[in-house]
Amino acid sequence: LSASNSTVKAYRVWRLKAELNAHLHRLVPIERIKDGCDAHFIDPEKLLKYILPGILRRHSVTGTVTVCLSGDGRNMDILRERSSVIISLKIAIGNPHETKYLFPIALARGKESRENIELIMARLKPSLVRVSNYGIRIFQQRIVRVRWAFCSDGKFLLMALGLQAANGKFSCPYCVLKKDFWLTCFEDPNYNPRNDLRCAHQLSRR
């Protein structure tokens, strides 16, 4: 056997990968959600502390860093009705179409429902709030301010905010204007959609 195909080298490579995975798991552990849904997630704050120093040093970034948060559902097997929900974050540096700085932070087995998204976001929210309020401390001294941005589709964004999905009977989450009655509603001179707003403020008063 040549040196490149030797079992000794293959074992060393496998051993090195195992050590790197174990080291990464200690720094950014993968946690599991057992109550309500079968999901795994990692702490966004711990992940950013691990990856931001190298990214900022490479691109010489000194100001506020924008981190995009996105999520979507996937049909893994339509016949067996298997689906999953994936939440990822992306460092908004460089080409926005590149996936170099795209990191999955949560994966759940199940449909893209409000219940599953609320359970996952409830675990991620404390970390997201801490990062938004206090930033990320890197290089022992420097604190990097992080600005969060949603980059998902309307359905996921609305459910993450506790509203109904955009494909519901009322297509707009802020009014009672039905998607199949919008012409007749506007043709009625006495109809004022602002009288029946369904925003969070109005819902809290009911």
Side-chain angles (χ1 to χ4, degrees):
L1 294 177
S2 64
S4 59
N5 295 325
S6 66
T7 56
V8 175
K9 183 176 181 179
Y11 172 77
R12 290 178 177 175
V13 172
W14 172 84
R15 184 68 179 270
L16 178 60
K17 289 182 177 179
E19 292 177 355
L20 290 175
N21 288 335
H23 177 68
L24 182 60
H25 185 70
R26 287 192 297 269
L27 294 176
V28 188
I30 300 175
E31 304 179 48
R32 183 177 181 183
I33 302 175
K34 298 181 180 179
D35 299 332
C37 68
D38 184 10
H40 292 78
F41 72 98
I42 58 178
D43 191 326
E45 183 179 13
K46 295 180 180 179
L47 177 64
L48 290 176
K49 285 182 179 180
Y50 182 75
I51 64 176
L52 271 184
I55 295 176
L56 298 182
R57 188 184 295 111
R58 176 179 299 178
H59 294 274
S60 302
V61 177
T62 58
T64 301
V65 178
T66 300
V67 181
C68 303
L69 191 68
S70 64
D72 200 1
R74 293 286 186 273
N75 290 324
M76 312 301 294
D77 191 338
I78 298 178
L79 297 179
R80 298 182 182 179
E81 296 184 353
R82 293 179 179 176
S83 56
S84 62
V85 179
I86 303 175
I87 300 178
S88 307
L89 61 82
K90 185 182 187 305
I91 312 299
I93 295 177
N95 190 340
H97 302 289
E98 291 182 351
T99 59
K100 181 187 299 183
Y101 301 135
L102 179 66
F103 303 92
I105 58 174
L107 175 62
R109 181 183 302 172
K111 296 182 179 180
E112 188 184 6
S113 62
R114 179 184 298 179
E115 292 76 12
N116 288 338
I117 294 178
E118 284 182 348
L119 289 171
I120 300 173
M121 294 302 295
R123 298 298 185 93
L124 299 177
K125 183 178 179 180
S127 178
L128 299 177
V129 172
R130 284 197 306 270
V131 173
S132 179
N133 292 337
Y134 305 109
I136 297 291
R137 181 180 294 276
I138 61 175
F139 306 130
Q140 287 83 35
Q141 300 282 338
R142 180 182 171 190
I143 296 180
V144 178
R145 294 297 177 183
V146 175
R147 178 174 58 244
W148 294 104
F150 267 112
C151 295
S152 59
D153 56 8
K155 178 182 178 182
F156 183 90
L157 174 60
L158 293 174
M159 289 192 293
L161 296 176
L163 301 172
Q164 70 174 6
N167 58 355
K169 185 175 182 180
F170 299 96
S171 55
C172 177
Y174 296 105
C175 69
V176 296
L177 192 62
K178 299 180 181 179
K179 60 182 180 180
D180 51 345
F181 292 155
W182 70 275
L183 283 176
T184 57
C185 291
F186 280 117
E187 289 174 356
D188 184 0
N190 298 321
Y191 179 77
N192 183 5
R194 296 192 61 82
N195 293 334
D196 296 316
L197 291 178
R198 293 177 348 102
C199 60
H201 176 67
Q202 292 293 336
L203 291 175
S204 65
R205 298 175 59 183
R206 294 185 180 180

